[in-house]
């Protein structure tokens, strides 16, 4: 029964939603279910937050390896939650001056805004910026002219890398207008628009069919391994 | 914008020819009726007889609409421009109309023209909307004819959206093919699937982690359960968990969404049970970190560097974090298998991981790993979809190329025009 | 042939000779083969930091896609409605901030009505705040909130939000980001859905973002015009949508720098504020970083072939 009910819910919801796409009277159903999902996901935040506290409090109490990180995590979590939910330092909204909680939680100058501006923003930007370093190390390790295909890939990579900067313009600025298609900046756009688009479309079509087929398997209950069922496993 | 430009051009034309003031004859017999094709109740078809001066004085027809009634309550007519169509045009479909309007919207937008209190007294929350349409012939010198106006009309919603008919056909063929092959497979027909190296490597990776006494790390992407890639990732997790259970390897699954954590726990518990090691299942190894993309990455990266898992699986929807995770995994010497349907992240995984499941391979993984006839049947059905798409592309390319060659050689050729129209029908009707 | 090529050939020949000579020595070959990635990280740090600190910039030459974006905005008349879908976050601000600033500046100069919203992340409204604070309030103080621009803020639900607001914006947006009822916002009074927008400008860093705007707004409603700016990694995936579903596209900093040039050439002062030149400023480090990657790939291949040679020997 524990498996059967979710399977039926999945099947009915899936079929109804597919049908609703074609029936104008039911077209609002898709929107309605996405709102339901948001409500569920909203409640799940409590589940996630509770789990986060549990896992890291346990690490701290067990003095497990790296428990210091858990202390920092818990402190950051609780402080942000407190200043955000409590709207600490936020002025009331001009529309409701008597209600101290009516202001915007991230008002400029409030502690939450401060955390966002001077902790969250630089930290996430730092993580994203690390990509530059990893791209350099990955290209040093992975790009090898092992065969003809790899040589073509290397050549294309060089054209794109040059074409996305002024170096491309500079290197082929001497080419006459009649050969402007061979200028590196134009070549790079051509490669992206023609070769890359053709390849992308093929991959995207394959993915789209894969998505449709997987969705159908889930709706029909053919693939039920996400429920922890042993049925579709070897 | 096109509308504005055309309206402007009409105004400018009228300014240029200011001295002439001939008033064109009006359009006549203006009829408004519900859209003739099945629709979602947002369109009305207009048809009129052209002005007697259509070929001489008329530059365009100006079509306007006005709200006439909210239910039984009359509204003072306030016409607003819908479109300006060129002379010689005798019909037009007005789109984007409303069938019903909510009381709160009436209050917001029409409080100045209707008596809100009487509407509220009806206790109705929504009111049917009736429109009237008007058409005016605009002369080349800017003079306008008398207006022709329709009686009030409300668009009707049909039970089927006719604009999606061809899409329904495609859905039926594709789903039919998948179901047909699943049934065929159930009937015992053997089906073959090519070898996917990345999936063959799962056992090896988990085995190696066990030998080295290190853990396996599984990342089911960073999106929620409403993304099909996450579901595909969870399906593969079932198999990885079963292997880990039978090898007695430690499997850690940090998730970026709470619902994914809950689902992953169910899946892994089921897999441990199926492997005959229900006691080895440890719930606390599947935990939530944060929804914030880079916060999650920072945690997982730190964890990888500290704990050095020997096998890392990245199966799901990934964004910029793909390379950060895969390069970190590479630096600690882990065997890495990735699978995603995010085309932008595939190159990064290919560069940094040992094996990568590209797009549809990732979705086929569950069928491949389970070896279940039913699931393999669905892959066969998917191939039918590919054949249809391939044929569509080839037919479209041939027809368009042939039309282009024929029309270049003999402009106006009926066959060439027919081909061109067929391609347009394929693009605008069947594939829209 | 110009001096550019002479320099390039010289650098390539000298560089290649050095690498060949160096890889012939066993010790150097081993060092390069097992090069610690931290050396590469250091080189990348220098490649990015030096041009930033030295304020190294290069000229820009706009390509067709940037011109297409510029032209779509140019076609609009003062008072036309533009939906500014700011779907990015602080992490991608480095790549997308300059184009977001340029878009806002361009729309302000054109006198367009700007409707800001985001579906990407709960921190998206902060990106909108940045545009409002640093561009509108700083340089266009005469523009009035609620009349010329509005911040509708973040709504969760990803593409679900688009699906709803294409037909009814009031279903989800009953208040703006600051909690003010949309009924009290003059520029929202006659907006029923986003089909009434004359243009949608999307700045996107991932999901939910440009792909969802294309699939759920521009495709089912072909009258909607969509232009966008995206991160470098997303750009190649968007080309299939051009030009029908997507009229123009700015790819990362390069696209931003090109668009910035077009905007400043037409509307900029003689000495524009540095915040309107960020795209151009950030192209300096990008050029040097790209060069470093090319050099690294070449060196790695020399090491690879040197290894092959040793294997044969």
């Amino acid at each position: 029964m524990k498996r059967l009910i979710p399977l039926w819910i999945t099947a009915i919801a899936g079929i109804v939603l597919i049908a609703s796409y074609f029936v104008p009277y039911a077209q609002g159903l898709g929107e309605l279910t996405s709102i339901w999902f948001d409500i569920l996901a909203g409640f799940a935040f409590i589940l996630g937050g509770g789990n986060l506290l549990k896992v890291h409090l346990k690490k701290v109490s067990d003095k497990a390896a790296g428990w210091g990180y858990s202390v920092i995590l818990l402190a950051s979590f609780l402080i942000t939650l407190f200043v955000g939910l409590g709207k600490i330092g936020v002025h009331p909204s001009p529309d409701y001056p008597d209600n101290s909680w009516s202001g915007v939680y991230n008002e400029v100058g409030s502690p939450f805004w401060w955390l966002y501006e001077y902790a969250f923003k630089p930290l996430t930007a730092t993580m994203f910026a690390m990509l530059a370093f990893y791209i350099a190390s990955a290209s040093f390790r992975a790009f090898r002219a092992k065969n003809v295909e790899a040589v073509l890939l290397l050549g294309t990579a060089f054209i794109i890398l040059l074409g996305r900067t002024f170096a491309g313009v500079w290197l082929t600025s001497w080419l006459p207008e009649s050969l402007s298609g061979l200028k590196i900046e134009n070549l790079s756009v051509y490669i992206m628009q023609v070769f890359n688009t053709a390849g992308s479309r093929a991959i995207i079509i394959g993915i789209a069919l894969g998505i449709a087929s997987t969705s159908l398997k889930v709706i029909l209950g053919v693939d039920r391994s996400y429920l922890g069922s042993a049925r579709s496993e070897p | 914008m096109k509308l504005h430009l055309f309206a402007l051009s009409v105004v400018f034309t009228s300014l240029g020819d200011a001295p002439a003031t001939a008033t064109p004859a009006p359009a006549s017999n203006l009829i408004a009726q519900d859209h003739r094709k099945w629709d979602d109740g947002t369109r009305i078809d207009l048809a009129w007889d052209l002005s007697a001066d259509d070929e001489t004085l008329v530059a365009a027809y100006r079509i306007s609409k006005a709200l006439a009634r909210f239910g039984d309550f009359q509204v003072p007519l306030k016409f607003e421009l819908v479109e300006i169509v060129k002379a010689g045009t005798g019909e037009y479909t007005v789109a984007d109309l409303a069938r019903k309007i909510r009381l709160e919207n009436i209050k917001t937008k029409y409080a100045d023209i209707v008596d809100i209190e009487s509407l509220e007294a009806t206790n109705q929350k929504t009111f049917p909307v009736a429109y009237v349409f008007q058409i005016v012939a605009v002369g080349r010198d800017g003079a306008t004819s008398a207006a022709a106006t329709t009686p009030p009309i409300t668009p009707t919603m049909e039970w089927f959206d006719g604009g999606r008919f061809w899409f329904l056909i495609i859905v039926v063929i594709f789903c039919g093919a998948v179901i047909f092959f699943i049934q065929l497979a159930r009937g015992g027909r053997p089906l073959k699937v090519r070898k996917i190296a990345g999936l063959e490597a799962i056992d090896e990776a988990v085995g190696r982690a066990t030998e080295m006494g290190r853990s396996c790390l599984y990342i089911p992407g960073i999106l929620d359960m409403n993304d099909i890639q996450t579901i595909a990732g969870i399906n593969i997790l079932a198999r990885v968990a079963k292997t880990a259970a039978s090898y007695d390897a430690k499997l850690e699954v940090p998730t970026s969404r709470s619902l994914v954590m809950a689902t992953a726990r169910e899946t892994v518990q089921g897999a441990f049970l199926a492997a005959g090691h229900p006691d080895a299942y440890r719930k606390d190894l599947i935990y939530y970190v944060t929804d914030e993309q880079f916060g999650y990455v920072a945690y997982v990266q730190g964890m990888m560097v500290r704990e050095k898992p020997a096998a890392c699986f990245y199966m799901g929807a990934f964004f910029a974090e793909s390379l950060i995770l895969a390069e970190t995994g590479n630096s600690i010497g882990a065997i890495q298998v990735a699978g995603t349907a995010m085309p932008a992240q595939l190159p990064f995984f290919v560069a940094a991981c040992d094996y990568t499941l590209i797009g549809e391979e990732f979705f086929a993984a569950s069928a491949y790993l389970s070896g279940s006839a039913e699931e393999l049947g669905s892959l066969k059905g998917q191939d039918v979809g590919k054949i249809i798409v391939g044929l569509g592309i080839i037919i479209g390319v041939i027809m368009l190329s042939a039309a282009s060659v024929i029309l270049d050689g003999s402009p106006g050729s009926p066959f060439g025009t027919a081909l061109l129209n067929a391609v347009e029908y394929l693009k605008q009707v069947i594939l829209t | 042939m110009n001096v550019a090529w002479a320099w390039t050939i010289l650098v390539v020949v000298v560089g290649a000779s050095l690498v060949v000579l160096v890889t012939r020595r066993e010790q150097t070959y081993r060092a390069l083969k097992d090069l610690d990635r931290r050396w590469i990280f250091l080189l990348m740090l220098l490649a990015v930091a030096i041009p930033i600190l030295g304020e190294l910039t290069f000229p820009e030459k706009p390509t067709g896609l940037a011109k297409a974006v510029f032209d779509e905005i140019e076609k609009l008349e003062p008072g036309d409605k533009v939906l500014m879908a700011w779907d990015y976050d602080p992490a991608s601000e480095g790549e997308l901030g300059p184009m977001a600033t340029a878009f806002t500046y361009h729309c302000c100069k054109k006198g367009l009505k700007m409707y800001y919203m985001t579906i990407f992340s709960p921190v998206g409204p902060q990106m909108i705040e940045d545009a409002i604070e640093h561009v509108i309030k700083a340089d266009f103080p005469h523009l009035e909130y609620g009349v010329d621009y509005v911040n509708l803020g973040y709504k969760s639900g990803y593409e679900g939000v688009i699906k709803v607001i294409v037909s009814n914006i009031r279903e989800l947006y009953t208040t703006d980001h600051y909690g003010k009822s949309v009924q009290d916002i003059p520029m929202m009074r006659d907006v029923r859905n986003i089909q009434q927008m004359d243009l949608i400008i999307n700045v996107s860093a991932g999901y939910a973002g440009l792909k969802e705007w294309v699939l759920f707004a521009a495709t089912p409603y072909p009258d909607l015009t969509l232009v966008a700016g995206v991160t470098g990694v997303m750009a190649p995936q968007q080309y299939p949508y051009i030009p029908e579903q997507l009229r123009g596209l700015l790819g990362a900093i390069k696209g931003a720098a090109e668009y910035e040039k077009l905007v400043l050439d037409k509307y900029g002062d003689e000495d524009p504020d540095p915040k309107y030149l960020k795209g151009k400023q950030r192209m300096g480090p990008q050029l040097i970083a790209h060069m470093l990657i090319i050099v690294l790939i070449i060196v790695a291949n020399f090491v690879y072939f040197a290894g092959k040679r040793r294997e044969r020997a």
Side-chain angles (χ1 to χ4, degrees):
Chain A
M1 193 55 84
K2 198 183 158 198
R3 301 273 175 261
L4 202 62
I5 291 174
L7 277 178
W8 274 105
I9 292 175
T10 311
I12 293 169
I15 292 166
V16 166
L17 283 178
I18 291 174
S20 79
Y21 185 77
F22 301 100
V23 181
Y25 284 102
Q27 269 165 13
L29 274 179
E31 289 155 21
L32 191 68
T33 45
S34 59
I35 292 170
W36 288 354
F37 180 81
D38 286 348
I39 295 169
L40 269 177
F43 278 109
F45 265 119
I46 302 168
L47 182 74
N51 177 255
L52 188 81
L53 282 176
K54 194 179 145 195
V55 167
H56 290 279
L57 281 172
K58 189 168 182 299
K59 260 193 181 176
V60 175
S61 79
D62 291 353
K63 293 259 165 52
W67 66 275
Y69 297 109
S70 296
V71 173
I72 297 171
L73 187 145
L74 287 170
S76 317
F77 175 67
L78 294 173
I79 291 171
T80 314
L81 192 72
F82 175 69
V83 298
L85 278 183
K87 292 193 178 174
I88 306 296
V90 171
H91 296 92
S93 152
D95 295 342
Y96 309 97
D98 299 333
N99 297 33
S100 54
W101 256 26
S102 60
V104 186
Y105 67 96
N106 57 353
E107 184 187 298
V108 176
S110 67
F112 188 85
W113 172 85
W114 194 93
L115 281 174
Y116 172 82
E117 200 66 25
Y118 299 113
F120 181 78
K121 216 165 144 177
L123 281 171
T124 50
T126 306
M127 287 304 295
F128 194 52
M130 284 171 76
L131 269 176
F133 300 96
Y134 288 130
I135 281 175
S137 68
S139 52
F140 183 74
R141 204 188 55 248
F143 271 116
R144 295 283 185 274
K146 285 177 187 164
N147 49 37
V148 180
E149 291 92 333
V151 172
L152 282 175
L153 192 69
L154 266 179
T156 315
F158 285 171
I159 292 172
I160 302 288
L161 281 167
L162 291 170
R164 298 299 293 166
T165 61
F166 183 66
V169 179
W170 186 64
L171 279 172
T172 45
S173 56
W174 53 275
L175 276 171
E177 266 317 295
S178 55
L179 294 173
S180 67
L182 293 176
K183 290 187 176 185
I184 291 182
E185 72 272 23
N186 295 336
L187 263 183
S188 73
V189 172
Y190 184 78
I191 289 170
M192 301 247 264
Q193 266 182 333
V194 180
F195 296 108
N196 168 70
T197 303
S200 287
R201 278 192 175 144
I203 293 179
I204 290 169
I205 289 169
I207 288 172
L209 291 170
I211 289 175
S213 164
T214 305
S215 309
L216 206 60
K217 278 190 294 182
V218 171
I219 290 170
L220 295 175
V222 171
D223 187 347
R224 53 184 73 175
S225 37
Y226 69 99
L227 288 173
S229 159
R231 180 179 157 180
S232 62
E233 287 154 29
Chain B
M1 271 313 294
K2 276 182 204 158
L3 179 74
H4 294 173
L5 291 174
F6 188 63
L8 273 179
S9 74
V10 169
V11 172
F12 285 135
T13 316
S14 67
L15 287 175
D17 298 340
T21 53
T23 307
S28 52
N29 293 331
L30 176 63
I31 299 166
Q33 56 189 9
D34 188 44
H35 189 49
R36 56 184 171 272
K37 289 179 188 158
W38 285 353
D39 75 333
D40 55 352
T42 56
R43 296 180 187 90
I44 292 285
D45 290 341
L46 299 179
W48 61 90
D49 290 345
L50 298 181
S51 155
D53 299 323
D54 186 77
E55 287 179 7
T56 51
L57 294 176
V58 177
Y61 294 99
R62 203 169 62 203
I63 302 163
S64 313
K65 68 174 179 186
L67 286 163
R69 281 200 315 256
F70 293 136
D72 299 330
F73 294 89
Q74 298 286 339
V75 179
L77 296 181
K78 203 169 120 188
F79 283 96
E80 57 177 290
L81 181 69
V82 172
E83 182 64 292
I84 295 174
V85 294
K86 287 181 183 167
T89 314
E91 56 181 25
Y92 183 77
T93 300
V94 186
D96 192 25
L97 298 169
R99 215 162 42 85
K100 285 189 220 163
I101 186 164
R102 286 187 188 184
L103 180 60
E104 62 193 72
N105 283 347
I106 299 177
K107 281 184 193 169
T108 320
K109 288 177 70 179
Y110 306 107
D112 49 336
I113 53 171
V114 278
D115 180 12
I116 298 292
E117 282 179 13
S118 336
L119 291 174
E120 280 176 334
T122 62
N123 284 332
Q124 281 177 251
K125 283 192 178 164
T126 57
F127 295 85
V129 180
Y131 293 89
V132 293
F133 299 90
Q134 196 180 63
I135 187 158
V136 171
V138 183
R140 287 173 189 172
D141 54 6
T144 52
S145 71
T149 309
T150 64
I153 180 171
T154 301
T156 318
M157 185 193 275
E158 274 81 15
W159 67 272
F160 178 73
D161 189 346
R164 291 171 178 174
F165 173 74
W166 280 105
F167 185 63
L168 177 67
I169 299 286
I170 293 168
V171 169
V172 168
I173 294 177
F174 180 72
C175 295
V178 172
I179 294 168
F180 172 75
F181 280 102
I182 288 175
Q183 288 301 336
L184 212 64
R186 275 182 182 155
R189 180 155 174 176
L191 295 166
K192 267 199 286 187
V193 59
R194 74 177 162 84
K195 210 172 168 69
I196 302 177
L199 296 170
E200 297 289 322
I202 288 181
D203 288 357
E204 177 203 334
V206 178
R208 208 184 98 173
T210 318
E211 281 168 17
M212 294 170 80
R214 302 213 313 236
S215 62
C216 301
L217 174 73
Y218 193 98
I219 313 284
I222 64 158
L223 291 187
D224 218 326
M225 283 313 296
N226 59 342
D227 191 273
I228 193 74
Q229 294 183 67
T230 313
I231 295 179
I234 292 286
N235 285 343
I236 301 173
L237 172 63
R239 164 64 189 229
V240 174
K242 198 176 168 196
T243 313
S246 49
Y247 286 5
D248 197 21
K250 181 183 165 193
L251 174 67
E252 199 156 346
V253 189
T255 70
S256 140
R257 308 280 165 160
S258 323
L259 287 178
V260 178
M261 174 192 78
T263 318
R265 281 183 171 175
E266 283 285 313
T267 308
V268 174
Q269 191 179 13
F272 272 66
L273 186 70
H277 300 279
D279 300 341
Y281 167 65
R282 280 175 60 193
K283 190 164 103 169
D284 54 348
L285 288 177
I286 303 157
Y287 53 89
Y288 167 79
V289 180
T290 167
D291 276 43
E292 172 52 39
Q293 180 186 18
F294 288 108
Y296 177 72
V297 176
Y299 176 85
V300 175
Q301 199 184 11
M303 192 267 266
M304 283 163 88
V305 172
R306 288 192 300 274
E307 296 186 13
K308 296 193 170 45
C312 298
F313 302 94
Y314 313 105
M315 302 282 177
F318 291 90
F319 297 87
E321 66 284 355
S322 61
L323 187 68
I324 301 179
L325 294 176
E327 270 297 290
T328 310
N330 189 284
S331 72
I332 56 167
I335 289 191
Q336 303 196 95
V337 186
T340 186
M342 305 300 283
Q345 307 307 325
L346 285 168
F348 298 129
F349 276 141
V350 170
C353 292
D354 300 285
Y355 303 97
T356 306
L357 306 176
I358 297 172
E360 55 183 318
E361 282 181 345
F362 171 54
F363 291 112
S366 174
Y368 183 93
L369 289 172
S370 71
S372 112
E374 289 172 326
E375 289 204 51
L376 291 176
S378 73
L379 292 186
K380 209 77 181 161
Q382 204 174 312
D383 289 346
V384 173
K386 256 189 243 172
I387 291 169
I388 294 171
V389 173
L391 281 176
I393 292 172
I394 292 168
I395 291 169
V397 167
I398 290 174
M399 277 164 62
L400 200 56
S401 307
S404 173
V405 170
I406 293 167
L407 290 173
D408 267 358
S410 54
S413 144
F415 182 59
T417 316
L419 275 178
L420 209 57
N421 289 340
V423 172
E424 276 306 301
Y425 187 79
L426 188 73
K427 267 169 63 183
Q428 304 297 341
V429 182
I430 299 181
L431 297 178
T432 300
Chain C
M1 198 183 286
N2 66 356
V3 68
W5 271 101
W7 271 108
T8 312
I9 291 170
L10 185 71
V11 169
V12 169
V13 169
V14 172
S17 318
L18 274 175
V19 175
V20 169
L21 282 174
V22 161
T23 48
R24 279 186 178 277
R25 284 188 56 201
E26 187 61 27
Q27 201 183 352
T28 346
Y29 165 74
R30 288 266 155 232
L32 278 174
K33 189 167 177 286
D34 304 321
L35 186 69
D36 189 325
R37 69 181 66 205
R38 280 172 292 189
W39 286 109
I40 297 171
F41 294 167
L42 180 67
L43 284 174
M44 183 51 88
L45 178 71
L46 294 175
V48 175
I50 292 171
I52 291 177
L53 297 174
E55 294 185 359
L56 187 65
T57 59
F58 299 96
E60 272 310 320
K61 192 179 162 200
T63 52
L65 287 175
K67 282 186 198 147
V69 171
F70 181 76
D71 291 345
E72 283 301 329
I73 300 175
E74 278 298 290
K75 278 185 205 165
L76 302 178
E77 303 291 330
D80 279 353
K81 300 182 181 76
V82 183
L83 185 74
M84 318 282 268
W86 260 214
D87 296 324
Y88 68 105
D89 59 1
S92 42
E93 198 278 338
E95 250 186 309
L96 300 175
M99 67 176 73
T101 303
F103 276 134
T104 303
Y105 180 73
H106 194 182
C107 291
C108 288
K109 282 282 183 184
K110 288 280 301 176
L112 306 173
K113 299 227 178 276
M114 294 166 280
Y115 297 78
Y116 287 94
M117 62 169 284
T118 176
I119 54 168
F120 177 70
S121 147
V123 294
Q126 215 63 37
M127 304 290 99
I128 298 173
E129 286 292 321
D130 282 354
I132 291 173
E133 288 292 324
H134 299 144
V135 181
I136 303 179
K137 285 189 180 167
D139 295 337
F140 301 90
H142 60 281
L143 297 181
E144 200 182 325
Y145 183 82
V147 177
D148 301 295
Y149 63 98
V150 62
N151 178 1
L152 294 169
Y154 168 75
K155 282 277 173 250
S156 61
Y158 314 116
E159 67 271 26
V161 176
I162 304 175
K163 286 184 200 167
V164 174
I165 63 173
V166 284
S167 55
N168 187 358
I169 199 163
R170 298 287 163 88
E171 189 115 347
L172 288 177
Y173 286 99
T174 50
T175 65
D176 69 355
H177 177 58
Y178 312 103
K180 190 174 182 181
S181 166
V182 290
Q183 296 178 21
D184 301 331
I185 299 172
M187 64 190 287
M188 283 300 290
R189 277 190 200 132
D190 61 340
V191 178
R192 213 178 96 209
N193 56 44
I194 59 161
Q195 293 176 54
Q196 287 167 273
M197 296 291 153
D198 296 288
L199 181 69
I200 299 175
I201 301 174
N202 182 221
V203 182
S204 169
Y207 174 79
L210 181 56
K211 193 175 170 194
E212 285 65 39
W213 282 104
V214 168
L215 293 182
F216 302 106
T219 308
Y221 302 94
D223 287 344
L224 275 175
T225 311
L226 176 66
V227 294
V230 294
T231 56
V233 74
M234 281 172 72
Q237 265 60 51
Q238 315 308 324
Y239 283 100
Y241 303 127
I242 300 169
E244 283 181 6
Q245 290 130 299
L246 182 63
R247 299 289 170 86
L249 180 71
L250 304 180
I253 287 296
K254 169 82 172 149
E258 292 173 6
Y259 174 64
E260 237 174 42
K261 180 175 165 49
L262 288 164
V263 174
L264 290 178
D265 280 355
K266 179 147 187 192
Y267 297 102
D269 308 327
E270 292 242 324
D271 184 20
D273 191 308
K275 69 185 169 205
Y276 298 125
L277 289 167
K278 281 203 171 152
K280 189 177 175 181
Q281 286 164 0
R282 291 176 193 184
M283 277 307 288
Q286 177 154 325
L287 187 143
I288 306 298
H290 280 202
M291 291 300 141
L292 174 66
I293 290 178
I294 291 177
V295 170
L296 283 174
I297 294 174
I298 293 172
V299 171
N301 275 282
F302 272 111
V303 175
Y304 171 70
F305 285 112
K308 284 253 177 198
R309 209 173 45 236
R310 278 172 170 76
E311 274 174 27
R312 278 200 298 271

